[in-house]
Amino acid sequence: MTEKPTPTTSRALDAPFIAESAEVAPAARLGARSRIWHHSQVDAGVRIGEDCVLGKGVHVASAAVIGNRVKIQDGCGVFGATLEDGVMLAPGVYLLEDQAPRAVNPSGHLKGRKDWRRDPVTIRYGATIGANSVIAPGVTIGRYALVGIGSVVGHDVPDHGLVMGNPARQLGWSCMCGHRLNDTLACPSCGRLYHQRPYGLSLAT
Amino acid sequence: MSIQATDPQTVARQILGEISGRAANSIDASTRLSDLGLDSLGRLTLAVLLEERTGRPLPDHKMLSVRTVNDLERLLTSSERSA
Ligand SMILES: [Zn+2]
């Protein structure tokens, strides 16, 4: 009898990884090679794409939709948001979705699932949200935008917009590579050039 | 704390001096904010301090086009006139 090597099918290699202490609802969808680390929680109805990383203690709830190659670092709360491919949430980011948050309705009863209207956040391709930032319900963060540490963002951010503060203000523009553009919309680090467009910047071609 | 001036030019140069650590009288109209080492936090501080001391709002889209001290002083003068 000949000894056969253990079959390493791509299916086995592609299986998502879920740490033992994490809780992923059976009805959640989790793409190939995505990794869910310790004490994270993914609720039913959530969809997560391929090659994502959820750090320690992340909660993804309320039918959030997360694309591919998304990094969500320790302690984030993602409530109903849509995250396009390549988005990064630094530690402690909260994406909120209730414009009128109350524990009880006017008659004094505890509000339930149907007592409020979802108004989730959208984060577009390649954008980064700095640590401990909070994004208000209904806000859209543009492609490759950069939200500085500890910001409170209540308004939409254009593509490549660099915002910071509480309330967040736009202070400049950020490159695909993550560096701040200079006055001529050129990146001092990688040399890429950008043009102004109505919705923000796009690469000069 | 030093006495605070009210005319746009002095206010702008005083604040830029505080943020950059340079003497206000070493900053002239052609100085670029990037030459003063202002990063994004520096620009945020600048916008907030200007609003506090002039009592007038400075919209982000107007501040975004400011490259030099001269740009900044013109913006402050125009917001003073329209107030
Ligand atoms: Zn770059």
Side-chain angles (χ1 to χ4, degrees):
Chain A
M1 197 173 154
T2 54
E3 218 173 62
K4 283 183 186 167
T6 317
T8 51
T9 60
S10 61
R11 185 182 291 268
L13 286 172
D14 281 352
F17 167 80
I18 301 171
E20 213 171 300
S21 59
E23 285 186 48
V24 177
R29 274 169 48 190
L30 191 52
R33 297 173 300 278
S34 282
R35 287 169 287 162
I36 313 292
W37 289 99
H38 305 83
H39 304 286
S40 282
Q41 180 179 336
V42 178
D43 292 355
V46 167
R47 286 186 287 153
I48 296 176
E50 299 176 352
D51 298 300
C52 293
V53 183
L54 271 63
K56 179 177 171 146
V58 172
H59 187 192
V60 186
S62 195
V65 177
I66 293 170
N68 302 320
R69 301 179 301 284
V70 170
K71 262 191 193 176
I72 303 179
Q73 300 190 301
D74 298 2
C76 290
V78 176
F79 304 109
T82 298
L83 275 56
E84 295 186 357
D85 295 352
V87 162
M88 173 161 170
L89 306 185
V93 167
Y94 275 82
L95 310 180
L96 307 178
E97 65 167 342
D98 190 350
Q99 290 277 19
R102 291 286 191 216
V104 291
N105 58 29
S107 54
H109 295 103
L110 186 68
K111 282 173 77 171
R113 284 175 154 233
K114 286 170 186 162
D115 295 331
W116 59 286
R117 192 172 57 84
R118 292 184 57 212
D119 194 6
V121 166
T122 301
I123 304 196
R124 304 215 48 214
Y125 186 99
T128 299
I129 314 298
N132 262 11
S133 292
V134 178
I135 316 294
V139 166
T140 295
I141 307 288
R143 293 165 58 90
Y144 288 113
L146 192 62
V147 174
I149 295 168
S151 299
V152 176
V153 185
H155 295 287
D156 291 355
V157 177
D159 290 358
H160 293 274
L162 168 62
V163 303
M164 193 187 243
N166 177 10
R169 303 185 64 156
Q170 192 182 349
L171 304 163
W173 302 97
S174 67
C175 184
M176 290 170 79
C177 76
H179 287 90
R180 181 167 184 259
L181 299 181
N182 66 20
D183 290 345
T184 59
L185 302 182
C187 177
S189 177
C190 73
R192 285 185 175 87
L193 298 168
Y194 293 84
H195 281 323
Q196 186 100 42
R197 302 266 185 252
Y199 47 83
L201 299 188
S202 66
L203 266 180
T205 44
Chain B
M1 184 115 196
S2 59
I3 296 159
Q4 283 169 11
T6 49
D7 70 287
Q9 179 174 314
T10 318
V11 170
R13 294 182 196 195
Q14 202 165 57
I15 293 172
L16 287 168
E18 288 169 27
I19 297 171
S20 66
R22 281 180 44 171
N25 59 17
S26 75
I27 298 167
D28 60 46
S30 64
T31 307
R32 295 173 359 156
L33 302 199
S34 54
D35 295 335
L36 294 172
L38 256 68
D39 57 6
S40 38
L41 186 56
R43 276 187 167 258
L44 178 61
T45 310
L46 173 65
V48 170
L49 288 178
L50 281 169
E51 287 181 339
E52 275 178 14
R53 295 193 197 166
T54 64
R56 278 183 289 278
L58 287 170
D60 290 355
H61 69 272
K62 288 190 173 164
M63 281 298 284
L64 272 177
S65 57
V66 168
R67 298 177 187 185
T68 63
V69 173
N70 187 45
D71 294 342
L72 183 62
E73 288 167 359
R74 274 163 48 185
L75 173 60
L76 292 174
T77 308
S78 70
S79 78
E80 191 174 54
R81 271 200 220 101
S82 62

